[in-house]
Structure formats: structure tokens, C-alpha cells
């Protein structure tokens, strides 16, 4: 569950996975919201000799609504292949909150919706090779390695491909562990740089240690 801000920012993902056989399969449905905030100030004529200005707050949201089927097949206890196919709708909204201050005190506030791009409808698919032979300590791996190579395709309103390369190694040098990581997250294809897509950013929680 993701709860941050107002009701428009609520989100979450529900996943079911059947692990009764060696081939694991499942389904998922979810909604993820990304919000960006822009703040500006505009001067106003003085009111009764007091300084006045407007604080203009613009909120832009991108909604990722998706449903899909997933599968996992392990080759061993440390290596597996994963795949997923599904549908994704990407929606957009924007609003402006204008607050007037007179003498440093708020006296009025006006909210209004702003124009936003049309939504996107995409068929999605991905396949990944994953290995993990790391050994954990109390809070993190202390030796071994982990890696993930994932390729994904998206087609519909726009078309583009995703590539994820994540390589990690942990060398135990008593009493500390030296951790190394190589990471690439890219988007490719004719519409890869569409302004209707949230730009890839390694600072989002999933790629950052400690945010999951």
C-alpha cells in the first residue's frame, strides 16, 4: 500500500503467486502514483499598505494502473528465469493551488484543475534472468553475489523497450564487507523520450538500498 499526500496519491499492488509446483505462476493488479510539485511566487498590489503576493503550487501526477500474469521457473536454488505479460494504463492529472498572502498571512486559497495529456494504453511484456547466491548478515548481504538482466517491451499508444542490468558482488574482508554494484536502467525505441512518460531515475525507491 502506498499512502502519501491526498486521496489522489493513494496506491498499492496486490499480487498472488502459486508456488505449489516448480513452475510458479501468479497474477497482479495495482496502481502506483508519482507526484511532482512546482512552487512559485507572484507579486500583487499592496493591500491597505501591506505587502501581498500569491504562492502558486502546481501538482502534477502520473498514475500507473496495471494488471498482468507472471511466471517464474527456477533452474536451481540460485538461478531462475522470470516473465510477465499484462496491460498498463498511464493517466495524468494536474492542479494548481493559489494562496494569497497579505502581510505574511494567508487570506484566500483557490484550487483549479489544469490541462493534462491524454492517457496511454499499453500492452506490456518482460523476461528476466536472475541469480542470487548471496549470504545475508543481520541487515544486508555479507558475501556472494546477485544479478538481474531484464528486457521489456511496451506497445500501444506509444512503443518503447526497457532494459535493466543490475550486477552486485559482496566480498567479505573480515570484519567488513566490500560491496560493488553496476547498474543500468534504460528506455529505448521510437517513443522512449516521450514527454508523457516519467523519466527513468535511479533515485526512485526500488533501485536504492534501504528504500524497500
Amino acid at each position: 500500500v502506498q499512502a502519501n499526500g491526498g486521496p489522489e496519491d493513494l496506491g498499492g499492488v496486490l499480487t498472488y503467486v502459486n508456488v505449489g509446483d516448480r513452475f510458479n505462476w501468479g497474477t497482479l493488479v495495482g496502481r502506483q502514483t508519482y507526484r511532482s510539485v512546482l512552487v512559485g511566487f507572484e507579486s500583487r498590489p499592496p493591500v491597505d499598505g501591506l505587502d501581498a503576493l500569491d504562492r502558486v503550487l502546481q501538482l502534477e501526477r502520473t498514475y500507473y494502473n496495471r494488471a498482468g500474469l507472471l511466471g517464474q521457473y527456477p533452474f536451481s536454488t540460485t538461478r531462475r528465469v522470470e516473465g510477465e505479460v499484462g496491460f498498463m494504463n498511464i493517466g495524468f492529472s494536474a492542479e494548481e493551488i493559489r494562496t494569497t498572502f497579505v502581510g505574511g498571512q494567508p487570506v484566500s486559497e483557490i484550487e483549479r484543475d489544469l490541462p493534462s495529456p491524454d492517457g496511454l494504453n499499453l500492452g506490456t511484456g518482460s523476461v528476466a534472468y536472475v541469480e542470487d547466491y548471496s549470504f545475508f548478515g543481520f541487515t544486508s548481504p555479507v558475501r556472494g553475489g546477485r544479478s538481474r538482466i531484464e528486457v521489456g517491451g511496451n506497445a500501444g499508444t506509444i512503443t518503447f523497450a526497457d532494459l535493466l542490468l543490475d550486477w552486485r558482488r559482496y566480498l567479505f574482508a573480515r570484519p567488513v564487507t566490500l560491496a560493488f554494484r553496476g547498474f543500468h536502467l534504460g528506455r529505448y525505441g521510437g517513443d522512449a523520450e516521450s514527454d508523457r512518460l516519467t523519466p527513468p531515475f535511479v533515485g526512485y525507491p526500488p533501485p536504492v538500498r534501504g528504500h524497500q
Side-chain angles (χ1 to χ4, degrees):
V1 175
Q2 171 188 340
N4 178 32
E8 303 91 342
D9 302 298
L10 294 175
V13 178
L14 178 64
T15 304
Y16 167 80
V17 180
N18 186 310
V19 296
D21 298 310
R22 183 167 186 174
F23 175 73
N24 303 328
W25 62 272
T27 184
L28 64 87
V29 61
R31 174 186 180 92
Q32 292 176 285
T33 303
Y34 294 92
R35 182 180 66 173
S36 61
V37 181
L38 301 175
V39 182
F41 295 90
E42 298 179 2
S43 299
R44 296 176 63 94
V47 177
D48 296 332
L50 300 175
D51 292 336
L53 59 80
D54 284 350
R55 182 187 66 191
V56 183
L57 184 69
Q58 290 187 356
L59 302 177
E60 298 180 354
R61 297 181 177 89
T62 304
Y63 307 99
Y64 287 80
N65 307 296
R66 63 193 187 106
L69 301 173
L70 55 90
Q72 301 176 352
Y73 185 84
F75 300 118
S76 68
T77 56
T78 61
R79 298 180 299 118
R80 70 179 184 273
V81 65
E82 300 179 355
E84 180 181 330
V85 294
F87 171 81
M88 178 166 59
N89 167 265
I90 304 177
F92 307 92
S93 71
E95 64 176 305
E96 178 185 272
I97 303 175
R98 182 179 292 267
T99 306
T100 300
F101 291 82
V102 176
Q105 300 297 319
V107 297
S108 67
E109 183 174 279
I110 299 175
E111 298 184 19
R112 68 185 184 96
D113 293 332
L114 299 176
S116 55
D118 294 333
L120 307 175
N121 295 304
L122 303 172
T124 63
S126 65
V127 62
Y129 171 78
V130 185
E131 67 174 2
D132 187 346
Y133 55 94
S134 59
F135 294 85
F136 267 71
F138 290 110
T139 60
S140 62
V142 295
R143 62 187 175 92
R146 312 165 76 182
S147 60
R148 183 182 187 91
I149 303 172
E150 182 174 352
V151 178
N154 306 267
T157 309
I158 59 177
T159 301
F160 61 95
D162 298 300
L163 175 63
L164 171 66
L165 304 174
D166 193 351
W167 179 90
R168 314 181 196 191
R169 292 296 181 267
Y170 310 99
L171 304 180
F172 184 54
R174 190 182 301 271
V176 300
T177 293
L178 303 178
F180 300 89
R181 186 180 189 185
F183 184 85
H184 172 81
L185 175 62
R187 185 179 289 151
Y188 302 91
D191 299 309
E193 298 185 7
S194 170
D195 58 6
R196 289 190 288 176
L197 294 173
T198 302
F201 175 49
V202 295
Y204 289 138
V208 179
R209 167 68 184 166
H211 282 203
Q212 287 185 302

